[in-house]
């Protein structure tokens, strides 16, 4: 008889649609996080506390779900991007760690999360996310990657003076390199996935900043609330119009 757990993958198959929605979600995390912490003037700490509660509730609902539900999954992804935005800003700016220090710390935490996950369950492949334990590692790793991406994007765009447009081209080019590696090399698909997953976050961060930062800082000075609303509508369109399948479980 087939193993029932093999049909319980709770995450989407990794397709082009997945990456389109993921980039929209990471950009929304930047504009939405900044809208609450800056435009609403709640500050990074209060905003992080608010988004952390939303993140924990979303993860709990996602883990309790018996099957893959696109809306639940992507709400949880957006929750990780918003808390990642305000948490990174709090560490980098309010605590004074700086972009380099914050990026280094978060990279270490991300690597530790992946290492412990691998040592505990023997794989970090997306298709293996079929149990509460694997999901807990999955979402913890994603939260670290989203926070790292925010710090990394800000570091490159601001501290290294690349600017938002040039940083968008940089991170977009790096993602293109990983895509070419996927199609033209035999490199580990799991490592390529996590590399691309991590890079979509700084890409979203700099695109979000490009949309809402002042003109004198190299941005387009759009309303954070309006930009966030448009990004939400685009996500709803893609999730509603195109059917996503769950990732095929490992044999």
């Amino acid at each position: 008889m087939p193993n029932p757990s093999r049909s319980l993958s709770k995450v989407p198959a990794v397709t082009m649609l997945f990456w389109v929605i993921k980039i929209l979600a990471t950009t929304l995390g930047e504009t939405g996080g900044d809208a609450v912490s800056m435009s609403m003037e709640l500050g990074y700490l209060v905003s992080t506390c608010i988004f952390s509660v939303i993140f924990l509730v979303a993860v709990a609902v996602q883990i309790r779900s018996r099957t893959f539900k696109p809306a639940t999954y992507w709400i949880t992804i957006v929750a990780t991007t918003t808390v990642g935005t305000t948490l990174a800003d709090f560490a980098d700016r309010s605590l004074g760690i700086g972009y380099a220090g914050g990026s280094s710390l978060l990279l270490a935490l991300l690597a530790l999360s992946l290492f412990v996950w691998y040592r505990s369950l023997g794989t970090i492949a997306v298709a293996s996310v079929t149990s509460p334990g694997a999901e807990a590692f999955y979402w913890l790793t994603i939260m670290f990657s989203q926070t790292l991406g925010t710090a990394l994007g800000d570091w490159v765009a601001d501290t290294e003076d690349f600017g938002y447009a040039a940083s968008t081209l940089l991170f977009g080019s790096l993602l293109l390199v990983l895509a070419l590696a996927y199609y033209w090399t035999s490199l580990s698909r799991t490592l390529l996935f996590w590399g691309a997953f991590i890079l979509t976050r700084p890409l979203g961060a700099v695109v979000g900043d490009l949309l809402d930062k002042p003109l004198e800082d190299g941005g387009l000075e759009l309303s954070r609330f309006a930009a966030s609303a448009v990004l939400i509508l685009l996500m709803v369109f893609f999730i509603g119009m195109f059917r996503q399948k769950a990732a095929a479980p490992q044999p």
Side-chain angles (χ1 to χ4, degrees):
M1 293 180 61
N3 186 347
S5 67
R6 289 186 56 193
S7 62
L8 297 180
S9 179
K10 305 275 286 298
V11 299
V14 181
T15 62
M16 182 60 70
L17 177 63
F18 172 87
W19 293 115
V20 169
I21 300 175
K22 173 62 167 57
I23 292 171
L24 289 172
T26 57
T27 308
L28 173 60
E30 188 71 18
T31 59
D34 286 349
V36 173
S37 63
M38 297 180 187
S39 297
M40 295 178 66
E41 299 183 350
L42 294 182
Y44 301 127
L45 179 58
V46 172
S47 300
T48 298
C49 292
I50 293 171
F51 288 129
S52 294
V53 171
I54 296 172
F55 166 67
L56 291 173
V57 171
V59 168
V61 172
Q62 168 70 18
I63 291 178
R64 285 177 62 86
S65 177
R66 292 178 178 273
T67 59
F68 167 63
K69 296 179 179 178
T72 302
Y73 176 85
W74 287 111
I75 288 172
T76 310
I77 286 289
V78 171
T80 67
T81 66
T82 49
V83 73
T85 295
T86 56
L87 180 59
D89 287 341
F90 177 71
D92 296 340
R93 300 168 186 174
S94 298
L95 296 182
I97 295 176
Y99 296 129
S103 297
S104 299
L105 175 61
L106 290 163
L107 179 60
L109 290 172
L110 174 61
L112 178 63
S113 177
L114 287 168
F115 175 76
V116 175
W117 180 3
Y118 183 80
R119 289 300 300 267
S120 299
L121 300 180
T123 179
I124 56 174
V126 173
S128 70
V129 183
T130 57
S131 68
E135 275 200 277
F137 278 119
Y138 179 81
W139 290 112
L140 180 64
T141 301
I142 285 178
M143 196 270 288
F144 283 143
S145 75
Q146 307 284 38
T147 311
L148 168 63
T150 300
L152 185 59
D154 289 343
W155 183 18
V156 171
D158 296 333
T159 305
E160 299 302 318
D161 293 328
F162 269 66
Y164 305 121
S167 296
T168 298
L169 290 175
L170 172 64
F171 290 118
S173 298
L174 291 174
L175 277 171
L176 178 60
V177 169
L178 291 183
L180 293 174
Y182 178 86
Y183 287 107
W184 296 98
T185 74
S186 59
L187 291 174
S188 166
R189 285 354 189 199
T190 298
L191 293 180
L192 287 173
F193 167 82
W194 283 111
F197 196 98
I198 292 166
L199 278 175
T200 56
R201 184 61 187 103
L203 175 62
V206 294
V207 170
D209 285 338
L210 177 64
L211 293 175
D212 63 32
K213 293 300 183 185
L215 293 173
E216 59 268 25
D217 294 336
L220 299 177
E221 205 168 352
L222 302 178
S223 163
R224 294 185 178 108
F225 296 104
S228 298
V230 170
L231 290 165
I232 290 171
L233 289 175
L234 286 172
M235 287 188 65
V236 169
F237 171 78
F238 282 112
I239 293 169
M241 290 297 295
F242 301 96
R243 183 170 178 267
Q244 283 185 289
K245 296 181 179 179
Q250 292 181 320

